[in-house]
Amino acid sequence: MIDVVIAGAGPNGLMLACELVLAGARPLVVEQLREPATEPKANGLVGQVVRLVDRRGLHAALAGTDEPPRPAPGFVFGALPLDLSRLDDHPLHLLPVPQRRLEQVLRSRAVELGIEVRWGVAVTGYTETADGVRVDLSPGSGAVEARFLVGAHGGHSTVRRLAGIGFPGVTNDDSVSRSVHAEVPAGWVHEPTGSLDVPGFGRVPGFRHLRTERGLVVFARLPGRPPALTTVEWPAADEPVPDGPLTLAEMAASLRRVLGADVPLTAPTGDGPFLLRRLVGQNSRIAERYRAGRVFLVGDAAHVHWGIGGPGLNLGLQDAVNLGWKLAAAVNGWAPAGLLDSYEVERMPASRRVVMSTQAQTALVTPDPRSPRCASGRPNCSPTRRTRGASPR
């Protein structure tokens, strides 16, 4: 019998699998994708999770240096800069690393630990037994017996649905976020600070959310990657969102609206894939439960929120570390009564704090006629909000 079946070979599923092996349990990871995803996603680790990966011996591979992690001198909350340089010590650490690289490092660690990952295999059902779970897999893949099942496969979690766990929250579809990797004109990047100097507007600081009366813009240069630009706009309710894939021309038009100035963009060169993504709306949802008998949820399967401030990987990876040793303790017979229930008791409040933080930052960056920066009363400063309410799934 397998100790734990994990649905999802993303960062959270792989981290959980590694934690289980380190604590003496045997996992099986199944992933419905036939091969690792290549599209760009998150751009780094923020918070205490940086020290966590350092304690697991992963920091050097991710950072490309043997230097230990140190607290960040500053960060941002919404569009408000936070000067942390006067603090001798604090828990906010930064590790700029693409999620694709993080997954590569975790897959390598999984290989070192002898973890089996089955690609192109999805969980389709399960039946709880007296001492375990019979997990049904994709047609042709049969079924496996395990002591526990964990859903670590994203916000549309099949495991969560099969367990009958509700996913209440709020979906706002009033914002449009656009993100690209693109080259900008030579000489526009202020090298000492990593900021972008835009003629006709001024300086767009690097790695910060800059709020204008027309929207939000972010400019960031990560090592070994072309510059990344993101805009967020709150268009009027009757303003259509383009169909089809995002183009650089559409992104340039969005930058023109947000900044009131042109930013010429050209396609990046070198090895891709490159970021070219449009997202409409935001989700803030937390699962009603993180456990249903022998079934558990981690990461986005348990909670989703806007990515402002980059808390997603911090939250999900800490879910995995919290749950890993507890499941191993139950498998090996030394878990005291109530240990498995403590996973939800400890991690759900963390999820609520993150959702509250991202909602507060959303309020800070959303154009509002009461803001001094929106004193002109332009239409985009008082958007018509479109909100879909709570949902049971």
Side-chain angles (χ1 to χ4, degrees):
M1 177 182 284
I2 296 167
D3 292 330
V4 183
V5 171
I6 302 170
N12 301 322
L14 292 170
M15 177 63 89
L16 175 60
C18 293
E19 291 293 301
L20 286 165
V21 172
L22 293 176
R26 185 168 65 99
L28 167 66
V29 181
V30 296
E31 170 56 60
Q32 64 180 353
L33 297 178
R34 296 189 178 278
E35 58 187 15
T38 58
E39 68 271 15
K41 295 181 180 178
N43 288 314
L45 303 180
V46 179
Q48 298 185 62
V49 70
V50 177
R51 292 197 292 190
L52 185 154
V53 298
D54 185 47
R55 289 194 292 270
R56 292 298 184 267
L58 301 171
H59 184 266
L62 293 171
T65 176
D66 292 330
E67 292 291 323
R70 292 183 173 85
F75 200 55
V76 65
F77 185 85
L80 305 175
L82 303 177
D83 182 5
L84 307 175
S85 61
R86 298 184 181 184
L87 302 177
D88 293 333
D89 189 31
H90 59 80
L92 201 153
H93 293 66
L94 301 177
L95 178 55
V97 56
Q99 181 171 325
R100 184 181 179 188
R101 175 58 181 162
L102 172 62
E103 292 182 7
Q104 289 173 342
V105 170
L106 288 173
R107 284 196 300 271
S108 296
R109 177 57 56 89
V111 170
E112 293 172 4
L113 296 175
I115 296 169
E116 180 183 2
V117 179
R118 297 184 188 177
W119 295 92
V121 177
V123 172
T124 59
Y126 76 87
T127 304
E128 223 175 290
T129 63
D131 60 350
V133 185
R134 184 182 187 274
V135 182
D136 301 317
L137 303 176
S138 303
S141 300
V144 293
E145 300 286 338
R147 297 188 184 278
F148 298 99
L149 170 64
V150 178
H153 50 173
H156 298 287
S157 169
T158 301
V159 170
R160 187 186 64 239
R161 176 179 56 80
L162 292 170
I165 298 176
F167 204 36
V170 173
T171 296
N172 293 322
D173 58 2
D174 62 349
S175 65
V176 181
S177 171
R178 297 174 174 90
S179 299
V180 302
H181 282 132
E183 299 293 346
V184 296
W188 283 31
V189 178
H190 187 250
E191 295 295 347
T193 62
S195 57
L196 180 68
D197 290 331
V198 180
F201 174 80
R203 180 160 293 178
V204 177
F207 294 95
R208 268 185 50 193
H209 305 97
L210 177 65
R211 181 180 184 274
T212 75
E213 62 183 20
R214 296 167 292 269
L216 188 75
V217 63
V218 182
F219 176 76
R221 297 185 69 193
L222 293 172
R225 303 293 290 169
L229 291 121
T230 294
T231 61
V232 184
E233 296 181 85
W234 287 262
D238 59 352
E239 186 176 337
V241 177
D243 293 326
L246 176 66
T247 65
L248 288 184
E250 180 186 335
M251 184 65 183
S254 177
L255 285 165
R256 188 180 309 116
R257 289 190 296 269
V258 173
L259 297 177
D262 287 321
V263 180
L265 303 176
T266 56
T269 58
D271 296 332
F274 298 115
L275 184 63
L276 199 66
R277 181 177 64 218
R278 182 199 309 113
L279 298 175
V280 178
Q282 306 165 19
N283 275 306
S284 294
R285 297 184 178 274
I286 299 177
E288 292 177 338
R289 295 172 289 157
Y290 285 10
R291 179 188 184 186
R294 291 181 173 271
V295 177
F296 294 81
L297 304 175
V298 302
D300 287 355
H303 41 72
V304 296
H305 48 79
W306 195 24
I308 188 168
L313 287 174
N314 183 40
L315 189 61
L317 292 174
Q318 289 194 72
D319 286 349
V321 172
N322 185 290
L323 182 60
W325 71 271
K326 294 174 180 178
L327 286 178
V331 166
N332 293 319
W334 55 268
L339 181 64
L340 292 181
D341 287 332
S342 72
Y343 167 66
E344 178 181 310
V345 171
E346 294 171 0
R347 296 308 299 162
M348 186 175 284
S351 304
R352 289 173 177 159
R353 289 194 297 270
V354 166
V355 168
M356 180 177 64
S357 172
T358 56
Q359 289 176 331
Q361 293 184 75
T362 301
L364 286 172
V365 301
T366 302
D368 189 293
R370 294 166 295 182
S371 167
R373 295 191 184 182
C374 289
S376 64
R378 296 189 182 185
N380 276 357
C381 283
S382 53
T384 300
R385 299 186 66 83
R386 303 184 293 276
T387 302
R388 297 198 299 273
S391 168
R393 296 281 181 239

